[in-house]
Amino acid sequence: MAQAERELRNSRHLTMHQLVDRIESGVIDTVVVAITDMQGRLQGKRLHGRYFIDHVAKHGTEGCNYLLAVDVDMNTVDGYAMSSWEKGYGDMEFRLDERTIRVLTHLPATAMIQCDLEWSDHSPVTQSPRGILRRQLDRCAAQGWTALAGTELEFIAFDTTYEQAHADGYRDLTPVNQYNVDYSILGTSRIEPLLRALRNHMYAAGLDVEGAKGECNFGQHEVGFLYADALTTADNHAVYKTAAKEIAAQQGKAITFMAKYDHREGSSCHIHLSLRGTDGSLVFWDEETGTRTPLYDQFIAGVLATIPDFTLLYAPNINSYKRFADGSFAPTTIGWGLDNRTCAVRLVGHGPSARMENRLPGADVNPYLALAAMVAGGLHGIEHELPLEEELVGNAYTSGRPHVPRTMAAARDRFAGSEIARAALGDDVVDHYVNMADVELAAYAAAVTDWELRRGFERL
């Protein structure tokens, strides 16, 4: 790894030398070494500090390649070219990214490092979500651009433990608020011990915390973070999502990042994105004219044009599509508007703050894949100089504009047949995530739901 890549992201991250010093002094005794899987979850190992120094710090570690070839329940499934019983389920190499070393203050004497994935010959594991995003960011860098991003991740919190929620079949749980607490100070006060712990522990872990606010659904909240370069934002997102569940559990509560937990408002993950020159110059805004640049319009046009192709990466689960409901603040219409929350793409800010907001992803999204899709779509628009359609003014839900794919099956088919996706991401990546969709669709098709039992047990 080049020296430039070892620079601290901010003063709360540790250098490898500082981590080793803290282990040797007894301040740190556990190092979590983690990758992000297809579902956006952290997977890896907890290593004893001494073992980490002696055997891992210089060379990394390894993990079974089934980590990128299982379903959400960690069951091995068929259909993946990179990993199978026939291939023997060998190992992948975990390559430490020293820029990600952070202290997890919500856990005793624990630090974490995030990793890239390589094969034994040091070639990249192309299906790795972090690697997929890296390659799209490399395409930006080749043009002299850096992608800046921020994710807004909502959750619903319940006054129950995860164990009790499981015993109750995740039904009839008591939310921490019993009414709409959007922007409510009283509503957030009711859960301030949890929100305060999330803010402070995440700041200590190197995330730049903005604040917390209530949302519409009962018990629904959002903790906001400042934007950063896209890879840092994705890394922080993955850390926060895991830590939030751990901190909630420590307080006897449970939270869910499902896109659609119940009949009320779903939980979103709006993604803000802009490009800057590697020298910090503006790419999306012309300061002399005070208007958007042609590159910005082409980027927006590319994201819009590729929404059907990339929806599978924005909405990666069966449940994701139940969030796309008219009049719910979740988008159903492919269009853009100026500060218009009914559109799939909302433009906000001007000058240095000019950015696009992609409102499609839900809280269940894998941030690496969604950001990779946005960058790939935007670059497609720039490379082909796509014209930007007219602004959608008013209510997008009743505009008659094209609709976001309504089901995972439809999104799967668009992704599988997309020449744009295959050109930008590669056949191996597209085929891998199409198989992930096939596994999810088959599992859902085989399930007998509570809805079916209620409607059919006696009356049919």
Side-chain angles (χ1 to χ4, degrees):
M1 183 181 298
Q3 182 62 37
E5 292 212 13
R6 292 177 178 170
E7 294 176 358
L8 292 178
R9 286 175 165 176
N10 60 48
S11 61
R12 280 158 283 133
H13 287 83
L14 302 181
T15 64
M16 183 62 76
H17 180 74
Q18 289 171 326
L19 175 59
V20 170
D21 282 350
R22 294 194 186 194
I23 293 171
E24 291 182 333
S25 67
V27 174
I28 297 292
D29 60 36
T30 300
V31 180
V32 176
V33 177
I35 59 106
T36 305
D37 69 5
M38 293 188 295
Q39 291 80 13
R41 305 172 299 185
L42 293 182
Q43 306 284 10
K45 305 176 181 181
R46 278 181 160 82
L47 303 178
H48 187 274
R50 187 72 254 169
Y51 176 84
F52 175 82
I53 291 174
D54 292 343
H55 300 282
V56 177
K58 293 183 179 180
H59 307 292
T61 185
E62 63 286 317
C64 181
N65 62 32
Y66 91 149
L67 289 171
L68 293 181
V70 291
D71 66 11
V72 72
D73 288 323
M74 300 300 290
N75 297 313
T76 55
V77 292
D78 294 332
Y80 289 109
M82 62 169 281
S83 180
S84 66
W85 292 114
E86 289 71 25
K87 289 181 177 293
Y89 285 113
D91 278 343
M92 302 178 290
E93 302 294 327
F94 286 28
R95 293 299 171 196
L96 310 181
D97 185 339
E98 295 184 17
R99 297 171 304 164
T100 69
I101 303 174
R102 63 184 89 227
V103 178
L104 301 180
T105 56
H106 67 286
L107 299 171
T110 299
M112 174 184 282
I113 304 179
Q114 289 163 279
C115 302
D116 289 303
L117 287 171
E118 296 179 351
W119 297 114
S120 58
D121 63 0
H122 303 305
S123 62
V125 177
T126 57
Q127 299 88 344
S128 162
R130 198 168 193 259
I132 292 169
L133 176 56
R134 272 188 179 277
R135 289 191 293 279
Q136 297 309 307
L137 298 179
D138 287 345
R139 293 177 64 199
C140 283
Q143 300 296 323
W145 302 327
T146 298
L148 303 179
T151 58
E152 301 174 340
L153 192 56
E154 296 173 348
F155 61 83
I156 298 176
F158 299 94
D159 277 325
T160 184
T161 65
Y162 279 109
E163 291 75 16
Q164 189 59 51
H166 177 270
D168 292 338
Y170 305 103
R171 294 186 296 270
D172 302 321
L173 306 181
T174 302
V176 295
N177 303 101
Q178 285 70 49
Y179 52 87
N180 182 330
V181 296
D182 196 16
Y183 287 97
S184 169
I185 298 301
L186 178 61
T188 50
S189 293
R190 293 277 295 275
I191 191 178
E192 175 60 3
L194 175 58
L195 298 177
R196 180 173 182 267
L198 291 176
R199 294 193 304 269
N200 291 338
H201 286 305
M202 291 300 91
Y203 182 81
L207 283 71
D208 291 319
V209 182
E210 291 184 1
K213 67 175 288 290
E215 293 290 343
C216 296
N217 203 342
F218 298 170
Q220 189 177 51
H221 294 265
E222 175 188 301
V223 177
F225 303 92
L226 286 174
Y227 70 90
D229 69 271
L231 185 63
T232 296
T233 288
D235 287 342
N236 289 345
H237 178 121
V239 170
Y240 164 65
K241 199 168 181 181
T242 294
K245 294 176 183 179
E246 294 170 341
I247 293 167
Q250 290 170 354
Q251 297 193 11
K253 300 185 185 302
I255 63 176
T256 183
F257 290 99
M258 288 180 65
K260 187 75 168 176
Y261 170 72
D262 58 15
H263 66 284
R264 286 186 57 92
E265 295 84 3
S267 290
S268 67
C269 177
H270 302 147
I271 300 180
H272 293 250
L273 181 68
S274 66
L275 297 182
R276 291 280 180 89
T278 52
D279 59 358
S281 59
L282 301 184
V283 174
F284 279 0
W285 198 261
D286 187 325
E287 292 189 287
E288 290 187 7
T289 63
T291 57
R292 299 191 308 269
T293 64
L295 280 177
Y296 188 9
D297 282 2
Q298 292 166 6
F299 193 95
I300 299 163
V303 171
L304 290 170
T306 57
I307 279 176
D309 298 61
F310 287 132
T311 294
L312 184 65
L313 302 186
Y314 300 138
N317 300 296
I318 290 286
N319 180 256
S320 308
Y321 296 81
K322 298 185 177 181
R323 176 175 154 268
F324 296 145
D326 290 347
S328 68
F329 286 101
T332 59
T333 301
I334 301 174
W336 72 276
L338 294 173
D339 198 15
N340 186 339
R341 286 183 167 88
T342 70
C343 298
V345 171
R346 170 179 170 246
L347 302 191
V348 289
H350 59 276
S353 66
R355 64 199 186 276
M356 64 173 299
E357 178 190 53
N358 182 353
R359 298 179 61 80
L360 262 73
D364 60 338
V365 75
N366 184 324
Y368 299 92
L369 299 180
L371 281 165
M374 289 179 69
V375 172
L379 292 180
H380 171 77
I382 291 174
E383 290 168 357
H384 294 272
E385 298 183 350
L386 297 184
L388 182 60
E389 64 189 45
E390 290 186 6
E391 175 192 358
L392 200 162
V393 178
N395 186 354
Y397 295 117
T398 59
S399 67
R401 296 277 187 95
H403 200 285
V404 174
R406 297 175 188 272
T407 66
M408 188 175 186
R412 177 260 183 223
D413 290 346
R414 281 298 298 256
F415 187 63
S418 171
E419 294 182 3
I420 296 172
R422 291 184 180 276
L425 307 179
D427 288 338
D428 54 348
V429 169
V430 171
D431 292 342
H432 191 85
Y433 286 91
V434 166
N435 191 68
M436 178 182 173
D438 289 340
V439 169
E440 179 87 350
L441 288 164
Y444 183 67
V448 178
T449 66
D450 289 348
W451 181 84
E452 293 168 277
L453 291 173
R454 285 195 304 272
R455 289 174 70 88
F457 185 90
E458 178 178 348
R459 286 173 284 184
L460 296 183

